[in-house]
Amino acid sequence: MQLAGTVRGTTQVITVMAPRIDAAVAIRFKDLMREETERWREGGAPGAEIPSASGPAPAETGAAPGTTTGIAAGAGGGAMAQGPPPRVVLDLGRVEFVDSSGLGAIVAAMKQLEEGRRLELAGLAPLVDRVFRLTRLDTVFRIHRDLEEAMQRDIPE
Amino acid sequence: MTSRSEMDESGDIGGGRPLGPAGGVGQALPALSFDLSQSEARAIVVSCLDVLDPDPVLRDTLRLVLSEVLNNIVEHAYDGALTGEVEIAQEPAEGRLRLRISDGGRAMPGGVLPRGGPVALNGPRDDLPEGGFGWYLIRQLSDRQCYERRAGRNYLWLDILSSGAKYRA
């Protein structure tokens, strides 16, 4: 289970680099989501020094070499200075299966966002879409067909 | 729910009674036993799907249902100990797929299946539930659920309509 994060304008895009969010990885997913979405809290808390231009601290939990768990080059410093992007889009385009534990972990990821930030979903495979609709969690999250659609709908502040 | 006796007239649930026709869905699933210490729940589900070979919609349904059931067995019946075993068998049932899943773990609390009602989603964000979806999904994705505790084992029967029409989006 790995996540890949980038910042595009006022949106943080987090792509799940795994085929499943199930009971076996749900806790790790939740922890990685916290890590991705709280970078700003570590470095840019009120009254704290903005870290140097080297960008956010490297991920602490064993990302394999060569994977992108950081913020896209060039976007990190500016985004840090401005605080966290208000919108987080979770790109599920590579995920084919989410079970009840995965649903719980996605809800938890939303709840651990700071006040004022929102979590949206994109790229739900048919079976994933089905569990969201069966549990009516599709009424809790804004869901986009894919990442492209999610970005087109981004309304800059 | 129909009475248990209709689902199990012989009373011979643990004795490896011969499996009947598969009700038009795939082929008969032999009583597969799995050692949870050696196999992850997901691998068990994949094995079952390979044997049953259902149509794509039913396959998705089964994948979800079996995943939820097995995860519950691992987490609750066996308390996450990963030292248990589970047996999955198909039983004859007309026009539908009937699965029997048994394990030697702890009994269901109160001797009954969880109600699995819908999860309340209308509260504030911080009150949204992070669990409780499992049995709701199982009940949504199967037509009948039956539970018995016999001779130190849990037996769960699930009926799933063969047509799959009910489950289409």
Side-chain angles (χ1 to χ4, degrees):
Chain A
M1 162 65 67
Q2 283 166 355
L3 304 178
T6 59
V7 174
R8 304 186 191 180
T10 56
T11 301
Q12 181 179 15
V13 176
I14 300 177
T15 301
V16 180
M17 310 293 284
R20 289 171 297 280
I21 308 175
D22 60 13
V25 298
I27 291 172
R28 175 150 172 79
F29 168 80
K30 185 179 162 184
D31 290 345
L32 289 173
M33 282 295 287
R34 182 187 295 277
E35 196 177 292
E36 282 294 328
T37 56
E38 291 189 355
R39 296 174 178 285
W40 289 267
R41 186 175 292 180
E42 293 160 21
E49 291 284 317
I50 301 290
S52 67
S54 60
E60 287 173 9
T61 52
T67 58
T68 316
T69 57
I71 292 159
M80 295 275 289
Q82 293 161 17
R87 182 179 185 241
V88 178
V89 172
L90 184 64
D91 176 14
L92 295 171
R94 296 165 190 247
V95 176
E96 42 135 0
F97 185 72
V98 173
D99 69 2
S100 63
S101 304
L103 288 175
I106 292 170
V107 170
M110 175 184 68
K111 289 165 68 175
Q112 68 196 12
L113 286 176
E114 296 123 306
E115 201 68 36
R117 301 181 76 193
R118 62 186 190 276
L119 182 64
E120 302 178 5
L121 309 176
L124 276 61
L127 185 52
V128 179
D129 183 62
R130 200 165 151 212
V131 295
F132 271 88
R133 277 185 291 116
L134 276 171
T135 54
R136 297 190 305 115
L137 280 172
D138 62 329
T139 63
V140 170
F141 295 93
R142 190 173 183 193
I143 295 176
H144 308 277
R145 192 181 64 233
D146 50 32
L147 189 55
E148 187 183 1
E149 184 185 281
M151 296 316 295
Q152 283 169 357
R153 288 181 179 177
D154 189 12
I155 302 159
E157 288 182 321
Chain B
M1 188 189 298
T2 314
S3 74
R4 183 170 60 237
S5 60
E6 183 189 318
M7 294 186 73
D8 178 35
E9 290 172 2
S10 72
D12 177 21
I13 51 177
R17 131 177 116 184
L19 294 163
V25 182
Q27 51 189 304
L29 179 69
L32 299 172
S33 282
F34 301 95
D35 185 342
L36 290 179
S37 66
Q38 293 168 0
S39 310
E40 291 186 14
R42 184 167 60 81
I44 297 175
V45 172
V46 169
S47 301
C48 292
L49 293 179
D50 285 347
V51 174
L52 288 166
D53 192 28
D55 70 66
V57 173
L58 188 54
R59 184 182 181 89
D60 281 351
T61 300
L62 280 171
R63 185 176 179 193
L64 261 175
V65 170
L66 284 174
S67 297
E68 298 297 342
V69 169
L70 290 174
N71 285 334
N72 279 332
I73 291 172
V74 170
E75 287 174 28
H76 301 299
Y78 287 121
D79 253 341
L82 299 182
T83 54
E85 45 72 40
V86 60
E87 183 190 80
I88 303 174
Q90 183 181 4
E91 292 198 344
E94 192 161 343
R96 59 189 59 199
L97 179 60
R98 177 171 297 168
L99 294 178
R100 184 193 73 207
I101 301 126
S102 64
D103 66 82
R106 205 167 51 182
M108 285 279 179
V112 295
L113 295 176
R115 196 172 69 86
V119 175
L121 300 173
N122 46 7
R125 186 184 87 165
D126 286 347
D127 291 346
L128 283 172
E130 298 174 27
F133 303 111
W135 262 98
Y136 180 71
L137 282 174
I138 293 169
R139 290 193 183 275
Q140 290 292 304
L141 294 167
S142 59
D143 295 293
R144 277 200 299 182
Q145 310 86 24
C146 224
Y147 171 75
E148 256 195 54
R149 178 82 176 175
R150 277 195 200 178
R153 291 187 69 80
N154 297 309
Y155 291 90
L156 171 67
W157 289 265
L158 293 174
D159 272 11
I160 296 166
L161 274 183
S162 300
S163 69
K166 177 181 169 185
Y167 309 109
R168 289 180 206 283

